[in-house]
């Protein structure tokens, strides 16, 4: 089952290999005052895709949309459910 995704901006297509959700929290100490700490945290969704050369790429999921599954447009697949 092949899932094809398209970059929203460039319209270039890729094969979707997988997806992941990640959360991070980074704590750094102040160089001069050890009791002061800077905390940065966030979350992001990442997809793993492959291009026409078979290269594996990790990209931000917000930049892509699903356009085909098994050669059928996503709109055709979802139409029968409504």
């Amino acid at each position: 089952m092949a899932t094809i995704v398209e970059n929203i901006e460039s319209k270039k297509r890729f094969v979707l290999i997988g997806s992941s959700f990640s959360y991070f929290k980074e704590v750094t100490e102040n160089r001069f005052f050890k009791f002061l700490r800077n905390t940065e945290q966030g979350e992001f969704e990442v997809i793993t895709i492959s291009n026409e050369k078979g290269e594996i790429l990790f990209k931000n999921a917000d930049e892509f949309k699903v356009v085909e599954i098994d050669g059928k447009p996503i709109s055709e697949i979802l139409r029968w459910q409504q």
Side-chain angles (χ1 to χ4, degrees):
M1 173 160 83
T3 302
I4 307 300
V5 295
E6 181 179 87
N7 182 281
I8 296 169
E9 196 172 297
S10 72
K11 305 297 184 204
K12 189 170 179 183
R13 293 186 173 193
F14 301 86
V15 176
L16 178 67
I17 298 172
S19 62
S20 176
F21 177 82
S22 184
Y23 173 81
F24 69 91
K25 184 173 186 177
E26 181 179 332
V27 178
T28 56
E29 290 185 353
N30 187 296
R31 284 180 30 179
F32 301 107
F33 303 105
K34 296 294 182 189
F35 62 90
L36 290 177
R37 296 174 189 257
N38 295 325
T39 302
E40 183 181 345
Q41 59 187 5
E43 57 189 43
F44 53 93
E45 297 171 3
V46 176
I47 59 173
T48 308
I49 57 177
S50 178
N51 62 16
E52 67 278 357
K53 296 177 183 176
E55 298 170 328
I56 296 172
L57 309 166
F58 298 93
K59 297 291 184 177
N60 186 338
D62 294 339
E63 300 172 9
F64 293 83
K65 65 180 180 178
V66 174
V67 291
E68 283 183 18
I69 297 176
D70 286 341
K72 296 180 183 177
I74 193 75
S75 58
E76 182 180 316
I77 294 169
L78 295 176
R79 186 175 342 144
W80 65 270
Q81 293 182 352
Q82 298 176 2

